[in-house]
Amino acid sequence: MRSKGAAIPYVVWMALFVVAPLVLVVIYACTSRDGTPTADHFSVMLQYAAVFGRSFWLAFIATLVCILLGYPMAYILARERGRLRNMATMLIMLPMWMNFLLRTYSWVFLLERNGFFNTLLSSIGLPKLDIISTSGAVVLGMVYNFLPFMVLPIFSVIEKIDGRVIEAAQDLGASSAQVFRRVIFPLSLPGVLSGVTMVFIPSVSTFVISRLLGGGKKLLLGDLIEMQFLGSAYNPHLGSAISLVMMVIVLVSIGLMNRFGEGEGEAVLL
Amino acid sequence: MSKELIRLQNLCMAFDGEPVLNNINLYINDKEFLTLLGPSGCGKTTTLRIIGGFTTPTSGDVLFDGVRINDVPPNRRQINTVFQKYALFPHLNVFENVAFGLRLKRIPDPRDPSGKRTIRLSEEEIRTRVLEMLEVVSLKGFENRKPAALSGGQQQRVAIARALVNQPKVLLLDEPLGALDLKLRKDMQIELKRIQQQVGITFVYVTHDQEEALTMSDTIVVMDKGTIQQIGSPEDIYNEPKNAFVADFIGESNIIDGVMLRDKCVKLYGREFACLDSGFAENEPVDVVIRPEDIDIVPPEQGQLAGTVTSVTFKGMQYDIIVDFRGFKWLIQTTDHSPVGARIGVKIDPDGFHIMKKSAYSGQFGDYSSYSDEYDELSDADAVGADEQEDGYAE
């Protein structure tokens, strides 16, 4: 009985801040402005297919880049010991202590037409580059902001791999490359999977990064939803419907990924 | 018949300047079951890791079939290891765990006359050999289980199969039964010995359990403080321990200060006793070992010595009786019950005495004044805990 009593604050919290908003989203998504049930929002949404496509595509690219950059980083870090490792972990965590907006703004300053990089380029006689307001800049912003979320889970999984298992593989004739391919990599997959979720979800729903670095030209789902609630196109019903669809797509893709993960015999940390 | 396979020459090892191995010289014969026995921190696991190639000795050589292999990495040695706590691959099922080494193996291509090209083993061959090996360790039908779904004993046998399937010349076993319960441990001891005889290869076995060592080994190497104390057959080690450490570590021993008056005559507590040992100087001070089971209890007036019973413990097969002889307490194992406080005599036949030269260990062992069961169990638990630390990766 005592344990049930202790759970009450959490139940109330969940009901107020998780369940209730979700129910509201569903209700809004399925009603029109005058409150009558309708499925119109979902058909209207079709005209935004390109935004959906772009959002998922850019988030996919950003996640991929995060894996390619983050995995080796995490691997080296996990094999390292002592002070170097602590310092490297610090350096990875450091940007996360700064305000998200501030971090992203600083990239605007760096990439602008007359920003830091272009000034540097022209000072050595090279032509200026148009980086800002491109999809590339948006991906860069995503990777920069979310890379730690890829590195840390992979790092913690690799770090926990029993050294004896690696020795066992060597003992059975595996070279360093074979030890990695046959033992370390498969055992680190759960970390990769949770890293993927932690990078993909914020990437697909971001609006700050695309607003600042995409120059408002490359509309993403986050921007679209924000516009429906706070912007010119004020229509919370459509906004809710888009949120709902996005949520379903994300949940389904994570579900599929976890299924794939279980096939490997691993529990995904989510 | 017994050909030398491995030789350790003047092996020394230090971690951070702390000596762990001290001039180890040892040879291991083909098809031999050799056990490195000693308390935690004695260097037995380090010795095993050097043979396996996981640790490089500070100085000294490791010879395999006459060839120096100090710098050969573990994946190129014809040696496989059964690790403490098994170290099975958690992401692979039993079949794939056992097949791991075979899938990496390359053999000369029979179609290539120059014999330089190599190929992988065929899937059927891998399958046959894995299933055959699972049969040897009685794990047929478990192919698709993940290690997490196996009991400790089963994991143990997977680890053995995974090593043996590669047909190594030597199998190294690092306290492989340490995590099993007593009953299973006894079964696995017999099982291991059977497997060793069936496959006919050399086993090098590390343990701190003297009973395990006596049960399985052809040769026992007793180690302490990074030094080999004695090498011999189980019978030799038990009957003719070289010093007080060995006598105490292998079985129970009463170790008493004595003086060797002349050949076959030793003096204890001011009395002369007949014994079978000779070859000592006249009046040489010695350590005298009397095994608790070699002491007969007789009425006080008939005994060579008389003492008072201070504690009796029922052990199932026998009673452990502690008897006070002028302040020095002896352990006697007997099937006859004597009550606490009783005055009893003891009689020891000449072959019940074993005389040892004095050593650095004299006076440290063999007195049962502080004897109690809890004490023994506590020190055993300590040994296991400390061992894990010893085996931790030395960086």
Side-chain angles (χ1 to χ4, degrees):
Chain A
M1 289 316 276
R2 231 177 81 208
S3 62
K4 271 188 185 167
I8 287 175
Y10 300 102
V11 172
V12 171
W13 177 273
M14 295 280 282
L16 273 179
F17 297 107
V18 178
V19 179
L22 263 176
V23 171
L24 279 180
V25 165
V26 174
I27 292 174
Y28 262 72
C30 301
T31 53
S32 61
R33 282 181 203 233
D34 50 23
T36 51
T38 173
D40 282 355
H41 306 307
F42 296 97
S43 48
V44 170
M45 222 185 294
L46 282 176
Q47 69 191 66
Y48 295 114
V51 179
F52 270 89
R54 189 185 305 129
S55 279
F56 279 91
W57 176 243
L58 291 188
F60 172 75
I61 302 274
T63 310
L64 201 68
V65 174
C66 278
I67 294 178
L68 294 178
L69 282 179
Y71 194 99
M73 212 188 273
Y75 179 76
I76 295 166
L77 217 61
R79 301 272 114 202
E80 201 57 59
R81 314 224 158 252
R83 278 170 69 187
L84 192 72
R85 172 200 207 150
N86 292 340
M87 211 156 81
T89 319
M90 263 280 286
L91 286 176
I92 290 173
M93 300 287 293
L94 205 62
M96 295 171 76
W97 298 351
M98 258 186 294
N99 181 280
F100 183 83
L101 267 176
L102 210 65
R103 268 184 280 163
T104 313
Y105 260 122
S106 62
W107 274 105
V108 176
F109 168 73
L110 291 172
L111 301 177
E112 265 172 344
R113 184 86 186 120
N114 295 309
F116 178 77
F117 285 131
N118 278 333
T119 317
L120 206 69
L121 283 175
S122 47
S123 72
I124 55 169
L126 289 170
K128 289 186 175 184
L129 290 175
D130 285 312
I131 309 172
I132 198 95
S133 306
T134 60
S135 302
V138 175
V139 169
L140 178 79
M142 290 173 175
V143 170
Y144 173 73
N145 277 306
F146 304 130
L147 185 62
F149 298 114
M150 182 64 80
V151 175
L152 294 178
I154 299 177
F155 165 76
S156 66
V157 170
I158 295 183
E159 196 209 2
K160 281 198 202 86
I161 295 177
D162 184 357
R164 264 174 242 275
V165 172
I166 292 165
E167 286 189 348
Q170 292 172 339
D171 185 74
L172 294 166
S175 62
S176 311
Q178 286 166 325
V179 169
F180 178 79
R181 198 169 69 75
R182 290 177 176 264
V183 180
I184 297 176
F185 184 70
L187 287 177
S188 68
L189 273 182
V192 176
L193 290 186
S194 60
V196 165
T197 12
M198 286 170 74
V199 170
F200 187 76
I201 293 175
S203 295
V204 89
S205 58
T206 182
F207 62 91
V208 175
I209 296 173
S210 52
R211 171 88 48 81
L212 297 178
L213 296 172
K217 287 183 211 156
K218 307 282 176 188
L219 208 59
L220 295 189
L221 275 177
D223 305 294
L224 195 60
I225 294 167
E226 196 231 2
M227 270 164 57
Q228 308 306 322
F229 286 96
L230 302 169
S232 45
Y234 185 75
N235 186 355
H237 298 272
L238 180 58
S240 298
I242 300 171
S243 305
L244 198 65
V245 169
M246 187 179 85
M247 205 159 66
V248 168
I249 297 179
V250 166
L251 279 178
V252 166
S253 42
I254 290 172
L256 283 176
M257 211 166 63
N258 283 3
R259 173 72 58 83
F260 161 73
E262 270 160 35
E264 296 287 310
E266 306 300 340
V268 173
L269 319 151
L270 214 168
Chain B
M1 141 221 160
S2 51
K3 183 173 120 308
E4 178 184 311
L5 192 62
I6 296 176
R7 177 175 282 267
L8 306 179
Q9 258 169 357
N10 309 323
L11 216 55
C12 291
M13 182 76 209
F15 291 128
D16 302 325
E18 196 69 32
V20 180
L21 291 182
N22 213 334
N23 201 30
I24 297 289
N25 281 290
L26 176 67
Y27 66 90
I28 301 167
N29 284 329
D30 199 15
K31 300 187 176 43
E32 182 174 28
F33 197 124
L34 181 132
T35 300
L36 301 172
L37 173 68
S40 57
C42 74
K44 56 193 190 299
T45 294
T46 307
T47 309
L48 196 79
R49 289 175 62 82
I50 288 174
I51 300 174
F54 300 107
T55 305
T56 315
T58 316
S59 67
D61 291 324
V62 184
L63 304 181
F64 187 91
D65 239 347
V67 183
R68 185 174 181 276
I69 56 163
N70 283 34
D71 307 314
V72 179
N75 53 332
R76 297 185 187 279
R77 296 192 182 192
Q78 289 172 296
I79 296 173
N80 284 118
T81 309
V82 175
F83 290 84
Q84 208 176 25
K85 307 219 188 80
Y86 330 133
L88 298 179
F89 303 117
H91 59 299
L92 300 176
N93 64 21
V94 169
F95 184 92
E96 288 304 322
N97 258 285
V98 177
F100 193 91
L102 297 179
R103 293 202 188 285
L104 295 170
K105 201 181 170 77
R106 302 199 72 101
I107 50 166
D109 189 344
R111 289 162 301 181
D112 180 25
S114 73
K116 275 187 190 144
R117 263 203 316 223
T118 56
I119 51 164
R120 294 195 180 283
L121 295 178
S122 72
E123 200 56 39
E124 307 108 76
E125 178 164 10
I126 291 176
R127 191 161 182 82
T128 329
R129 279 173 67 175
V130 169
L131 293 180
E132 222 173 74
M133 197 41 73
L134 286 175
E135 179 113 51
V136 171
V137 297
S138 334
L139 272 182
K140 234 177 170 170
F142 287 82
E143 294 90 308
N144 294 322
R145 295 249 204 128
K146 285 280 170 68
L150 297 176
S151 72
Q154 289 165 339
Q155 291 184 28
Q156 178 57 65
R157 280 178 283 163
V158 175
I160 293 167
R162 182 179 69 173
L164 283 180
V165 77
N166 304 294
Q167 301 169 341
K169 288 228 173 122
V170 180
L171 187 68
L172 307 179
L173 302 103
D174 186 3
E175 306 241 6
L177 308 183
L180 305 181
D181 61 57
L182 185 65
K183 178 83 176 64
L184 200 54
R185 205 151 70 208
K186 301 240 175 203
D187 292 347
M188 281 303 291
Q189 286 173 10
I190 296 160
E191 185 80 358
L192 271 177
K193 187 74 190 164
R194 175 186 70 74
I195 292 170
Q196 191 248 344
Q197 279 160 355
Q198 186 177 342
V199 294
I201 62 166
T202 307
F203 274 34
V204 181
Y205 192 96
V206 159
T207 183
H208 65 265
D209 182 337
Q210 45 101 6
E211 192 246 318
E212 213 165 275
L214 292 174
T215 309
M216 293 189 286
S217 318
D218 298 320
T219 306
I220 296 178
V221 178
V222 185
M223 295 179 69
D224 186 46
K225 299 193 176 111
T227 310
I228 293 178
Q229 302 294 335
Q230 189 170 359
I231 304 177
S233 69
E235 289 87 349
D236 286 349
I237 299 264
Y238 189 86
N239 294 329
E240 309 284 332
K242 256 200 189 131
N243 59 36
F245 173 81
V246 178
D248 182 72
F249 198 79
I250 313 288
E252 302 285 352
S253 313
N254 300 294
I255 304 173
I256 302 121
D257 272 336
V259 175
M260 202 66 187
L261 293 178
R262 54 187 175 273
D263 278 356
K264 302 189 179 178
C265 181
V266 65
K267 191 164 139 193
L268 305 175
Y269 299 128
R271 279 202 53 172
E272 289 180 24
F273 292 86
C275 64
L276 300 178
D277 301 67
S278 54
F280 292 85
E282 253 177 51
N283 294 320
E284 183 179 340
V286 288
D287 285 335
V288 181
V289 178
I290 306 167
R291 295 287 185 188
E293 69 273 19
D294 291 337
I295 304 171
D296 293 326
I297 295 182
V298 292
E301 59 283 3
Q302 290 170 28
Q304 293 159 306
L305 287 169
T308 313
V309 177
T310 61
S311 116
V312 179
T313 316
F314 179 59
K315 288 287 179 141
M317 231 172 68
Q318 88 270 349
Y319 293 98
D320 276 8
I321 297 179
I322 305 291
V323 183
D324 189 337
F325 294 103
R326 305 183 195 176
F328 195 95
K329 294 191 176 171
W330 288 22
L331 171 69
I332 299 174
Q333 289 172 341
T334 169
T335 48
D336 304 318
H337 180 262
S338 304
V340 173
R343 192 145 176 85
I344 57 166
V346 293
K347 197 169 143 301
I348 305 149
D349 291 334
D351 65 0
F353 294 97
H354 169 65
I355 316 292
M356 305 181 301
K357 285 196 185 290
K358 285 280 178 189
S359 69
Y361 291 105
S362 296
Q364 292 180 34
F365 301 105
D367 181 5
Y368 286 87
S369 300
S370 56
Y371 178 84
S372 80
D373 285 335
E374 290 94 5
Y375 182 81
D376 256 13
E377 270 162 33
L378 273 177
S379 60
D380 269 355
D382 268 0
V384 172
D387 248 27
E388 279 163 18
Q389 283 177 358
E390 179 207 353
D391 302 332
Y393 300 83
E395 271 119 29

